[in-house]
Amino acid sequence: MTDSPQMIFVNLPVRDLEASKAFFAALGYSFNPTFTNADAACMIISDTIFVMLLVEGFFSQFTAKPISDARLQTEVSPACRRPAARTWTHGWTRRCRPAPASPSRRAIMASCTSAVSRTWMGTCGKSRIWTVRRADAAPCLCGVDTDAVIASMDTALSHRLDTLWRMEAPVLIARLARMLGGDVGRAEELAQDTWLAALERWPAQGVPDNPGAWLMTTARNRAIDVLRQHQRVAGQHARYASELEPQPLPSPDDSDALQDDIGDDLLRLMFVACHPVLSPDARVALTLRLLGGLTTEEIARAFLQPEPTLAQRIVRAKRTLAAREVPFEVPRQAALPERLASVLEVVYLIFNEGYAASAGDDWMRPALCEEALRLGRVLLHRLPAWPQIHGLVALMELQASRAAARVDAHGAPILLPEQDRTRWDWLQIARGQAALQQAIALGGGEDPYVLQALIADCHARARRVQDTDWAGMATLYQRLARQQPSPVIELNRAVAVSRAEGAAAAWPLVERLAQDGRLQDYAPLAAVQGDLLAQLGRGEEARAAFLRAAALTANAREKALLEARAAAVPMG
């Protein structure tokens, strides 16, 4: 027996199947060819939601027979001359009418069902599919590869469980950490124990209607057991100590004064994972581990580091938090701006590594971008009055909207001027612009994240590259440099000046930056030099600059792009 995910099938009767398929295909929906024939078509909505387009009268061969209790029932399909599907019925079931001897639609359905699936029909009307491969099952009459179907269901189940864990793990760890007095390491262990219990029970008993509540109840009970054990040990120590030392004087109960101003467990966990006592690399790794639900292997693969190195970094981070006795709380209002800056820095570091991978074979790592966006939205939901959070979310939304157009079908990078802007996600752009306007309305017009979002918005508003407001962008970079002095920002301003006023106007700015030791081995500086030198007609120097940039980068895709640009520079 093989387990598969909870899947929802919605039956949609249609009169003209081909016309309906053409209509939905024009809307961008795809169909599973395995379950598509002259009478039915399986339209894919998501990994777990499917719409069956059925010709009218398709179910006329079925009769509904209500039953009073849930029972396991085996039916016999005369067409197949062998046991058909075992159907776990709850509240009602459908039975096959006797089918004719020749393979018909009825016989095909019965043979597919007997070979592939067992369905628990709940009273809520949702179908939860567990696959069954009978050892004595004859070949399916419609030629369906049942082993392939089962394998695809296993993959869908794995994806569903991964998604569920990443959604629920941060909440579990945050709640457990509060119950355990801020012990993040122990909280993570209990959350993993809870998840293991779920994986042991759910395949046999079924996934509960509210898996998050099941996980939280189980985790809370385990935490209570741990606390009771600690209380028993503490009680024994207290009895022993009372025999040796006098009782201390009672002190006033000031526990209420120790509570933070917000009182949100998930927010507390974010501030603990991004605490300034940890190095930036440790903050990023711990945040992805605790709040992203990523495994150590996944984090190591994302940042191209050995798994043991990453694991030790996470362990050391937890030990540091315990040794420094970092409280499990959201900072008070006086300290919140500084601590919030640390959290936003971590989220943006994760996004940047996904948007422009610093090393490896991929130009982008979309999973990191998506995780950073999710963390940003969680933070925004809990602290909606802070303009810098709106600014960061706006910046990430606007930049991520270009993701589909930044690479070709083979994963090779496409630079901004050559991108097909019809492939930009305009819904995501609208979300980013809305967050940007909210940040400005809250008084964050000069915040660095808001200024960067305004720069990204200059690109988003230009439907053609020649419509880009490069002069306005250069001014925004100048404002950003005043708020956050950095040679990288000055380099970006030089690029904007070159687009607005020409390469000759930008070259002195770049020459001055080349003397800054902080940019000595910075590949983008050499790439900008090559671009400007090519525009100025200095071909040999431009080619050398591109090759130097290619030698400095650790990303294979970027290296190939820079080498191609070097080869394309006209000589002479």
Side-chain angles (χ1 to χ4, degrees):
M1 183 177 294
T2 306
D3 296 322
S4 74
Q6 178 173 342
M7 307 171 74
I8 299 176
F9 289 84
V10 179
N11 297 328
L12 180 62
V14 296
R15 293 183 178 179
D16 189 332
L17 182 63
E18 292 302 321
S20 300
K21 286 170 59 179
F23 172 76
F24 285 110
L27 295 179
Y29 292 103
S30 59
F31 292 85
N32 187 333
T34 304
F35 299 107
T36 299
N37 53 37
D39 297 312
C42 180
M43 183 168 62
I44 302 170
I45 304 299
S46 70
D47 288 343
T48 57
I49 302 177
F50 306 87
V51 173
M52 294 297 298
L53 304 181
L54 308 173
V55 295
E56 288 186 343
F58 184 81
F59 280 121
S60 61
Q61 68 270 22
F62 295 116
T63 59
K65 178 180 179 180
I67 58 177
S68 58
D69 57 350
R71 62 185 181 272
L72 189 64
Q73 178 178 322
T74 303
E75 300 173 354
V76 177
S77 169
C80 299
R81 303 301 180 190
R82 58 186 174 86
R86 288 190 171 193
T87 304
W88 181 258
T89 56
H90 186 98
W92 58 278
T93 186
R94 290 190 177 119
R95 292 176 177 272
C96 291
R97 289 178 177 174
S102 59
S104 64
R105 184 168 61 205
R106 260 167 266 168
I108 289 175
M109 281 193 61
S111 66
C112 292
T113 306
S114 64
V116 177
S117 67
R118 181 175 73 180
T119 308
W120 172 27
M121 302 301 295
T123 54
C124 61
K126 296 180 180 178
S127 299
R128 298 173 183 171
I129 309 299
W130 281 267
T131 60
V132 177
R133 187 67 172 96
R134 299 174 58 92
D136 58 344
C140 176
L141 294 178
C142 67
V144 174
D145 184 353
T146 56
D147 290 329
V149 174
I150 292 171
S152 66
M153 285 178 148
D154 290 340
T155 302
L157 174 62
S158 176
H159 290 164
R160 176 170 180 258
L161 292 178
D162 286 345
T163 301
L164 180 61
W165 169 247
R166 292 184 181 183
M167 289 174 59
E168 300 296 340
V171 180
L172 289 177
I173 296 172
R175 179 66 59 84
L176 294 172
R178 179 171 63 83
M179 294 179 65
L180 299 173
D183 189 345
V184 174
R186 184 64 173 141
E188 185 184 11
E189 292 174 5
L190 287 178
Q192 291 172 345
D193 289 344
T194 302
W195 183 243
L196 181 60
L199 294 180
E200 290 173 348
R201 296 188 184 185
W202 290 355
Q205 302 177 4
V207 179
D209 292 333
N210 190 339
W214 189 97
L215 291 169
M216 182 60 71
T217 301
T218 305
R220 188 169 58 244
N221 291 338
R222 290 172 182 262
I224 291 173
D225 291 340
V226 170
L227 291 174
R228 286 172 177 167
Q229 182 182 6
H230 289 175
Q231 288 174 354
R232 286 195 297 269
V233 173
Q236 292 173 353
H237 290 174
R239 286 197 300 272
Y240 299 148
S242 63
E243 299 175 1
L244 302 175
E245 298 178 2
Q247 292 294 326
L249 294 175
S251 58
D253 183 7
D254 57 355
S255 58
D256 291 341
L258 299 178
Q259 296 297 318
D260 57 57
D261 297 328
I262 299 176
D264 187 286
D265 289 336
L266 193 58
L267 201 57
R268 291 177 179 125
L269 185 61
M270 294 184 77
F271 278 94
V272 169
C274 301
H275 200 281
V277 299
L278 303 175
S279 67
D281 288 344
R283 288 182 231 163
V284 168
L286 193 61
T287 298
L288 289 174
R289 186 79 176 90
L290 298 180
L291 291 156
L294 303 182
T295 64
T296 304
E297 179 185 1
E298 289 171 326
I299 301 171
R301 187 168 60 247
F303 288 94
L304 303 177
Q305 294 181 353
E307 185 177 350
T309 302
L310 220 296
Q312 284 299 315
R313 182 177 299 165
I314 293 173
V315 170
R316 285 195 298 268
K318 293 176 184 177
R319 289 174 179 170
T320 300
L321 293 175
R324 298 291 187 90
E325 297 182 349
V326 173
F328 189 72
E329 65 181 11
V330 177
R332 294 303 183 96
Q333 289 295 333
L336 190 54
E338 181 181 355
R339 293 286 303 282
L340 181 59
S342 176
V343 175
L344 298 180
E345 178 187 9
V346 169
V347 174
Y348 196 39
L349 280 173
I350 296 171
F351 180 84
N352 272 338
E353 185 59 32
Y355 189 73
S358 59
D361 297 330
D362 297 319
W363 178 248
M364 294 182 63
R365 299 189 184 116
L368 289 178
C369 292
E370 293 168 5
E371 186 57 36
L373 272 166
R374 188 185 69 82
L375 292 173
R377 292 164 184 157
V378 168
L379 196 60
L380 182 60
H381 177 71
R382 284 162 170 79
L383 295 174
W386 291 81
Q388 52 267 58
I389 304 177
H390 287 275
L392 176 58
V393 171
L395 173 59
M396 294 190 295
E397 295 276 16
L398 291 169
Q399 288 184 323
S401 67
R402 304 195 292 266
R406 294 188 74 231
V407 293
D408 62 15
H410 305 289
I414 302 176
L415 297 181
L416 184 61
E418 286 81 38
Q419 289 176 13
D420 179 4
R421 303 193 174 207
T422 61
R423 298 190 64 202
W424 289 3
D425 188 336
W426 295 100
L427 178 61
Q428 195 166 24
I429 288 174
R431 289 201 302 265
Q433 290 172 337
L436 178 58
Q437 293 303 315
Q438 184 64 24
I440 295 173
L442 291 171
E446 294 301 314
D447 178 79
Y449 291 116
V450 176
L451 290 171
Q452 291 177 77
L454 286 168
I455 293 169
D457 190 42
C458 288
H459 292 298
R461 292 181 180 279
R463 295 300 181 106
R464 302 178 303 166
V465 65
Q466 56 266 37
D467 296 335
T468 307
D469 183 9
W470 292 107
M473 201 177 300
T475 302
L476 288 170
Y477 274 121
Q478 196 168 25
R479 289 167 57 187
L480 179 61
R482 286 198 297 266
Q483 298 294 327
Q484 189 176 308
S486 165
V488 174
I489 294 174
E490 292 293 347
L491 179 63
N492 289 327
R493 184 173 78 88
V495 172
V497 169
S498 73
R499 298 291 191 272
E501 303 176 25
W507 181 249
L509 303 176
V510 175
E511 276 194 311
R512 186 165 59 251
L513 289 171
Q515 308 305 316
D516 193 321
R518 293 172 292 179
L519 299 182
Q520 183 176 0
D521 296 322
Y522 189 56
L525 172 61
V528 171
Q529 288 174 321
D531 186 46
L532 295 182
L533 288 168
Q535 293 180 49
L536 294 171
R538 297 157 62 175
E540 287 194 20
E541 295 175 85
R543 186 173 185 275
F546 281 131
L547 291 176
R548 171 173 165 74
L552 288 174
T553 184
N555 185 282
R557 295 287 188 181
E558 186 177 19
K559 182 187 293 291
L561 173 66
L562 291 168
E563 289 173 347
R565 295 189 70 186
V569 173
M571 306 300 292

